[in-house]
């Protein structure tokens, strides 16, 4: 209780700080929601769901609501580097009645190459203006890996021909917080797969400041917006795991919350795609599911308005939120066997919960390593 009280006080102090920069807008957020057909009740339900996502008591929902109403005071610069824009695509596919999109729209989005109208020299001027005007106060979101080979010349952006390496270092220098959106920005992603001729790296490897990593290809829009809201409320990064991912989103294995977990425990496995087990929703471990090795909230958040996610749709998890997943998790349709988790194959044919479940929990890579590795300062 004392911890929650201290955190609540810190949130209040953070919002008081943000109010110093608040300017009266021509149309308030509440008026904009009403004009968009979104009721105050819908808004309160959204704040309650965000609060629950952070594993905070319900009274914190008032802070979430206040933070959302002040969100347009916090400048956001969003860079695109070596990526496919899938993370931005995930972000804009928000839930009906588009509450997440509305809240995100009212953050002061100063630069986003996909969404902004400006192009060419005007776009460059917008970025330079934002970096200077909001020095020390803006949030920096980076989508995509950073090519570093040949001094970064494998990626040049804009009419001035700056390398992605130059741009991200310049933008990071005066950022209040840095968020790597997606596995490419967080860990290099597919671009960093062997033999990695462009020298692609995660943002944290090329900047000299703390970076919060949102693994996933792509991550859920809830993980993106939730992380932004946390910073807005508390002015600090959330508690992070050993890979600097928010624990509230990446604190549990995909395997732990999978709807097919009961089949796994019962030793009921799909032997090959299209067999009767696949039709009956059996566990996909033997056809390559990497859920036991992967930390993410995909089973609970899902995608496309919470409709589905790969395992529910019939294909195993690929482990895309983990570092080096493209190399370490392959082959994507075969079990890893003893590569990461000794003894799994030997028991998968016969038994689930008693032996395999205990083995997975006992020697999971994250569980062991997190005991010895201290996360970034919060």
């Amino acid at each position: 209780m004392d911890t929650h009280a201290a955190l609540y006080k810190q949130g209040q102090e953070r919002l008081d700080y943000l109010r110093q920069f608040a300017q009266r807008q021509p149309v308030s957020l509440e008026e904009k929601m009403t004009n968009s057909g979104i009721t105050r009740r819908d808004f309160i339900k959204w704040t309650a769901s965000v609060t629950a996502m952070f594993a905070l008591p319900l009274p914190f929902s008032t802070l979430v609501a206040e933070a959302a109403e002040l969100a347009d005071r916090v400048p956001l610069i969003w860079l695109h580097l070596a990526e496919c824009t899938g993370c931005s695509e995930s972000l804009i596919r928000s839930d009906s009645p588009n509450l997440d999109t509305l809240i995100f729209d009212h953050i002061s989005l100063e630069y986003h190459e996909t969404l902004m109208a400006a192009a060419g020299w005007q776009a460059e001027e917008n970025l330079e203006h934002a970096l200077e005007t909001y020095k020390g106060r803006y949030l920096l979101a980076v989508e995509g890996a950073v090519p570093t080979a040949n001094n970064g010349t494998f990626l040049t952006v804009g009419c001035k021909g700056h390398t992605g390496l130059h741009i991200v270092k310049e933008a990071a220098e005066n950022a209040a917080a840095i968020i790597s959106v997606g596995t490419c920005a967080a860990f290099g992603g597919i671009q960093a797969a062997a033999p990695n001729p462009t020298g692609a790296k995660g943002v944290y490897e090329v900047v000299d400041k703390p970076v919060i990593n949102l693994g996933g290809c792509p991550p859920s829009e809830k993980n993106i917006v939730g992380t932004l809201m946390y910073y807005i409320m508390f002015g600090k990064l959330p508690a992070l795991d050993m890979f600097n991912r928010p624990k509230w989103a990446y604190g549990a294995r995909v395997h732990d919350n999978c709807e097919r977990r009961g089949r796994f425990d019962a030793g009921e496995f799909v032997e090959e795609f299209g067999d009767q087990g696949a039709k009956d929703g059996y566990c996909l471990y033997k056809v390559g599911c990497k859920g036991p090795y992967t930390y993410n909230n995909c089973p609970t958040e899902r995608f496309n308005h919470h409709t589905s996610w790969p395992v529910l749709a019939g294909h195993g998890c690929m482990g895309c939120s983990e570092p080096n997943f493209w190399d370490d998790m392959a082959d994507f349709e075969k079990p890893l066997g003893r590569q990461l988790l000794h003894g799994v194959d030997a028991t998968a044919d016969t038994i689930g919960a008693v032996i395999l479940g205990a083995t997975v929990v006992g020697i999971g890579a994250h569980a062991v390593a997190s005991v010895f590795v201290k996360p970034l300062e919060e």
Side-chain angles (χ1 to χ4, degrees):
M1 293 297 294
D2 291 340
T3 301
H4 283 150
L7 188 60
Y8 192 91
K9 181 179 179 181
Q10 183 178 359
Q12 289 180 314
E13 292 173 351
R14 169 65 177 170
L15 296 180
D16 289 340
Y17 170 78
L18 290 178
R19 289 190 188 95
Q20 298 176 25
F21 303 100
Q23 297 179 358
R24 175 64 181 171
Q25 302 297 309
V27 182
S28 69
L29 175 62
E30 187 168 357
E31 291 170 328
K32 292 174 183 177
M33 288 193 299
T34 300
N35 294 337
S36 299
I38 299 170
T39 67
R40 184 69 181 176
R41 181 182 179 85
D42 291 329
F43 178 63
I44 296 302
K45 287 169 62 179
W46 177 84
T47 61
S49 68
V50 171
T51 303
M53 243 185 354
F54 292 147
L56 293 172
L58 188 59
F60 277 78
S61 62
T62 58
L63 289 184
V64 175
E66 291 180 59
E69 291 166 352
L70 289 170
D72 58 343
R73 310 339 178 203
V74 180
L76 174 64
I77 295 173
W78 186 296
L79 300 179
H80 289 265
L81 301 181
E83 42 78 36
C84 68
T85 316
C87 299
S88 290
E89 290 282 354
S90 175
L91 179 64
I92 63 177
R93 281 161 173 71
S94 54
D95 294 329
S96 176
N98 296 323
L99 285 173
D100 296 347
T101 299
L102 179 62
I103 301 303
F104 181 77
D105 284 345
H106 292 285
I107 289 173
S108 180
L109 187 57
E110 298 295 322
Y111 184 85
H112 189 299
E113 293 166 16
T114 306
L115 301 179
M116 67 185 184
W121 291 102
Q122 185 182 17
E124 292 281 353
E125 290 171 359
N126 285 357
L127 178 58
E128 292 169 359
H129 176 267
L131 293 176
E132 181 60 32
T133 303
Y134 303 108
K135 184 179 295 185
R137 292 198 291 121
Y138 60 83
L139 297 178
L140 176 64
V142 183
E143 182 176 354
V146 187
T148 62
N150 293 349
N151 295 319
T153 54
F154 285 98
L155 174 67
T156 58
V157 180
C159 51
K160 294 185 178 180
H162 289 316
T163 66
L165 181 62
H166 168 86
I167 294 170
V168 74
K169 285 186 174 183
E170 181 182 41
E173 183 176 355
N174 294 304
I178 306 169
I179 302 171
S180 289
V181 183
T183 295
C184 294
F187 310 119
I190 296 175
Q191 285 83 298
N196 192 10
T198 67
K201 295 182 178 180
V203 173
Y204 80 95
E205 297 181 87
V206 301
V207 303
D208 203 18
K209 299 181 71 172
V211 179
I212 184 168
N213 292 323
L214 302 182
C217 191
S220 162
E221 76 277 6
K222 297 289 189 186
N223 293 355
I224 303 171
V225 175
T227 301
L228 293 172
M229 290 298 297
Y230 189 98
Y231 180 80
I232 290 167
M233 284 192 298
F234 301 114
K236 57 181 277 187
L237 303 181
L240 306 175
D241 71 6
M242 61 179 291
F243 295 122
N244 298 340
R245 299 174 302 192
K247 288 184 178 180
W248 64 264
Y250 300 89
R253 292 173 307 150
V254 167
H255 183 68
D256 295 334
N257 295 308
C258 178
E259 59 268 17
R260 298 180 189 240
R261 176 62 189 265
R263 300 291 194 176
F264 173 90
D265 292 344
E268 298 174 338
F269 297 93
V270 175
E271 300 293 335
E272 61 181 24
F273 290 107
D275 67 10
Q276 190 59 44
K279 296 175 184 177
D280 292 339
Y282 283 12
C283 176
L284 296 162
Y285 173 78
K286 293 178 71 174
V287 288
C289 183
K290 306 306 187 294
Y293 322 106
T294 305
Y295 286 69
N296 209 332
N297 56 5
C298 299
T300 52
E301 289 303 320
R302 301 183 178 180
F303 294 87
N304 295 324
H305 299 196
H306 299 274
T307 302
S308 190
W309 67 293
V311 171
L312 182 60
H315 193 283
C317 167
M318 296 171 63
C320 70
S321 58
E322 301 303 304
N324 306 314
F325 88 96
W326 194 256
D327 295 321
D328 292 347
M329 299 295 184
D331 182 325
F332 295 120
E333 296 184 353
K334 293 181 181 178
L336 284 180
R338 292 165 179 79
Q339 180 179 343
L340 293 181
L341 216 56
H342 299 289
V344 171
D345 284 349
T347 57
D349 285 320
T350 57
I351 188 168
V354 178
I355 297 177
L356 180 52
T359 301
V360 171
V361 171
I363 65 174
H366 290 63
V368 174
S370 62
V371 175
F372 303 100
V373 179
K374 184 178 180 182
L376 291 173
E377 291 293 325
E378 298 172 14

